Amino acid sequence: MAKAPVLTPQAEDFPRWYQDLINKAELADNGPVRGTMVIRPYGYGLWERMQQEMDARIKDAGAQNAYFPLFIPQSYLTKEAEHVEGFAPELAVVTHGGGKELDEPVVVRPTSETIINDYFSKWVQSYRDLPLLINQWANVVRWEMRPRVFLRTSEFLWQEGHTAHATYEDARDYAARIHTDVYGDFMTNVLGIDVVLGRKTAKERFAGAINTLTLEGMMGDGKALQLGTSHELGTNFAKAFNTQYLSKEGKQELVWQTSWGVSTRMVGGLIMSHGDDNGLRVPPRLAAVQVVVMAIKGDEAVAKVRELGDQLKAAGIRVQVDDRVDTPFGRRAVDWELKGVPVRIEIGPRDLEAGTAMLARRIPGGKEPVQITDLAALLPKVLEEDQAQLLRESRERREARTSDVATIGEAAEAAIAGGWARIPWADLGPEGEAKLAEQAVSVRCLIAEDGSVPQADDAPGTLAIVARSY
């Protein structure tokens, strides 16, 4: 009888494969309250690396980290009508505290535009206070009706940036800088996902924004996943919270604002972009563990892998030593393969006699013997080759499964078949977008013919990217 696979094959049931992988790779568990999740240490290690890489880029863009309260007075959300309308179905509201009914209900933070703007209105007095660039790492709660671990949960972790500027142009350019230099650079060069940078349609725009910039990735099943957004808020929140500054000319002016965020949804995107039937494949630049050095058996092998682990750490490689020789080697190897560690270095008694180790590469697959003394110099090159392969595969999948179409019917057909469609926005428009929605197909973003981000929905030559999505 054939041995049952560790994971449900992707081609057989992609959603089941995704859930199997999260469980078997020990990334997360469902929480006790429907829609919540417990992120396990290996999964949280991925998020920590994402935080580190993102935080450095956010600070390079001039923003500083701060923290704002989890509880927001309900009255704050009602100050910006479009904003509260957009979030109303997802709100978690606290009506009692300390055994008593509250004088005013408080909302558990779904996003922080309102409470941050309340403080911006206090902190901004003069043009000298601008631009004000704030970011926070936090949790948020949006009551989710159809939860899926990492992709849609009632509570999730994220960063949210909020800025105030003296002019529309400054705010517009800063939102675009976050979109490209922070999010685009990270997702392409660290996550290894060939994201499309585009502009959301008016229907898909963030509640309260005048423009939303998005990054869309194609997952292994051809569906789209929104991996991050950067919003131009105009003066909508400034009007609601009376956030004004005294200009150089001595006039009171409203500030122009942005907000932007990415979340633990990126972990789900990582899984669905790079995972295969053997488990996760983690991009080396992201991996908390780039190389695992494994002792197959024997005391001498244990001593050698510990020594080698120290040498590789000194060479700047993120290493974990697996010297658990009381656990069968095959089981350990499968576990590391499921977790997607880019490289395994396997050493046993025979390897020691020959002065070699077996190098197993998770991303391209395959094994080969190498001289132990060559590893410190060889591994950085191997890791960069594997990083490049993941990005190349992501790009090739997106290009192969994206079709240029001329009609709404062709766009829907391509999306339902498991791909993306490109169609001129002038031929689709809001009416066509509504027709697609009836078939659970959406316009993920608008792009220019050259792949850049159009400055307006109706800019000449604008194309719509159409797909089914998570």
Side-chain angles (χ1 to χ4, degrees):
M1 181 181 292
K3 189 176 180 180
V6 176
L7 304 174
T8 301
Q10 290 186 354
E12 182 179 311
D13 189 334
F14 194 84
R16 173 58 62 186
W17 165 85
Y18 176 79
Q19 193 60 52
D20 284 353
L21 178 49
I22 287 172
N23 293 334
K24 296 290 179 65
E26 298 180 339
L27 300 178
D29 270 329
N30 290 312
V33 175
R34 185 179 182 276
T36 63
M37 64 176 169
V38 175
I39 306 176
R40 300 185 68 174
Y42 190 75
Y44 198 81
L46 296 173
W47 175 241
E48 283 183 312
R49 285 285 304 142
M50 292 179 183
Q51 282 184 299
Q52 291 164 14
E53 291 282 349
M54 292 290 304
D55 198 60
R57 287 166 172 78
I58 289 167
K59 287 172 179 171
D60 283 346
Q64 295 178 298
N65 286 337
Y67 186 79
F68 293 82
L70 174 68
F71 296 125
I72 301 172
Q74 191 174 46
S75 59
Y76 281 31
L77 270 76
T78 62
K79 290 185 178 182
E80 213 290 324
E82 186 179 352
H83 189 68
V84 69
E85 182 180 351
F87 279 100
E90 301 175 324
L91 296 181
V93 182
V94 178
T95 59
H96 290 72
K100 298 180 180 179
E101 185 173 354
L102 302 178
D103 293 336
E104 177 185 354
V106 297
V107 172
V108 183
R109 173 175 55 216
T111 180
S112 298
E113 276 77 10
T114 57
I115 193 166
I116 288 179
N117 272 277
D118 183 57
Y119 284 86
F120 275 13
S121 67
K122 300 174 184 178
W123 297 345
V124 174
Q125 302 298 323
S126 162
Y127 69 90
R128 296 183 183 87
D129 300 321
L130 300 172
L132 179 56
L133 313 175
I134 295 293
N135 178 65
Q136 80 165 342
W137 293 93
N139 63 334
V140 291
V141 171
R142 299 178 184 177
W143 215 252
E144 183 58 54
M145 296 297 104
R146 295 183 299 276
R148 185 172 294 179
V149 173
F150 289 123
L151 300 179
R152 291 187 178 276
T153 50
S154 295
E155 178 192 9
F156 54 90
L157 305 179
W158 78 346
Q159 62 74 212
E160 51 177 319
H162 300 267
T163 70
H165 304 261
T167 66
Y168 159 73
E169 290 79 12
D170 194 35
R172 176 200 62 197
D173 293 347
Y174 194 80
R177 179 180 180 183
I178 294 295
H179 188 220
T180 56
D181 297 354
V182 176
Y183 295 163
D185 178 71
F186 168 71
M187 291 174 191
T188 302
N189 295 315
V190 179
L191 290 188
I193 300 176
D194 184 51
V195 289
V196 170
L197 281 69
R199 175 188 181 99
K200 285 291 189 184
T201 64
K203 177 180 180 295
E204 297 290 333
R205 197 175 292 156
F206 177 71
I210 62 171
N211 183 32
T212 290
L213 304 173
T214 184
L215 301 100
E216 304 285 332
M218 179 184 282
M219 302 296 99
D221 61 351
K223 288 185 179 180
L225 183 70
Q226 177 183 292
L227 287 159
T229 48
S230 181
H231 314 288
E232 298 173 40
L233 302 179
T235 58
N236 290 340
F237 288 90
K239 292 173 183 174
F241 288 85
N242 196 33
T243 311
Q244 300 186 61
Y245 71 98
L246 188 66
S247 71
K248 290 181 180 180
E249 294 73 31
K251 296 181 180 179
Q252 288 291 329
E253 304 280 358
L254 292 170
V255 299
W256 295 81
Q257 293 181 269
T258 77
S259 69
W260 27 277
V262 296
S263 74
T264 39
R265 169 179 280 205
M266 291 192 297
V267 180
L270 173 76
I271 296 167
M272 294 193 297
S273 290
H274 299 319
D276 62 20
D277 285 347
N278 294 317
L280 186 58
R281 295 189 301 167
V282 181
R285 292 181 188 171
L286 176 73
V289 179
Q290 295 174 310
V291 176
V292 59
V293 186
M294 303 181 66
I296 296 176
K297 64 179 180 178
D299 293 341
E300 291 184 6
V302 168
K304 188 61 180 179
V305 298
R306 291 173 180 172
E307 175 190 333
L308 181 59
D310 290 340
Q311 291 174 359
L312 296 180
K313 287 176 185 176
I317 298 169
R318 295 187 290 277
V319 178
Q320 183 161 331
V321 171
D322 184 348
D323 55 9
R324 301 169 295 160
V325 291
D326 56 341
T327 300
F329 172 76
R331 176 180 170 182
R332 289 184 285 139
V334 168
D335 285 345
W336 288 117
E337 189 164 70
L338 279 166
K339 287 179 165 63
V341 171
V343 173
R344 298 194 312 273
I345 304 297
E346 303 168 357
I347 299 177
R350 292 181 182 177
D351 301 297
L352 287 175
E353 289 178 7
T356 63
M358 191 63 70
L359 186 152
R361 295 170 67 173
R362 177 67 182 89
I363 292 165
K367 291 185 176 184
E368 62 176 320
V370 297
Q371 292 294 315
I372 291 175
T373 53
D374 292 342
L375 284 169
L378 176 65
L379 285 172
K381 178 184 176 184
V382 166
L383 294 170
E384 281 302 296
E385 288 175 355
D386 293 354
Q387 178 79 31
Q389 177 170 331
L390 286 179
L391 179 60
R392 183 170 61 252
E393 288 179 2
S394 176
R395 179 175 297 118
E396 289 173 351
R397 176 175 63 238
R398 181 180 63 79
E399 291 176 347
R401 298 177 72 169
T402 300
S403 306
D404 288 301
V405 301
T407 69
I408 297 171
E410 289 174 346
E413 183 179 351
I416 293 169
W420 290 11
R422 275 189 303 252
I423 183 172
W425 176 242
D427 295 340
L428 185 65
E431 291 186 3
E433 185 177 18
K435 291 180 180 178
L436 289 173
E438 295 172 0
Q439 302 182 67
V441 174
S442 60
V443 177
R444 303 312 307 157
C445 63
L446 303 175
I447 62 170
E449 289 179 322
D450 63 0
S452 63
V453 181
Q455 292 301 305
D457 291 7
D458 58 356
T462 296
L463 301 172
I465 299 293
V466 173
R468 283 191 161 172
S469 66
Y470 285 97

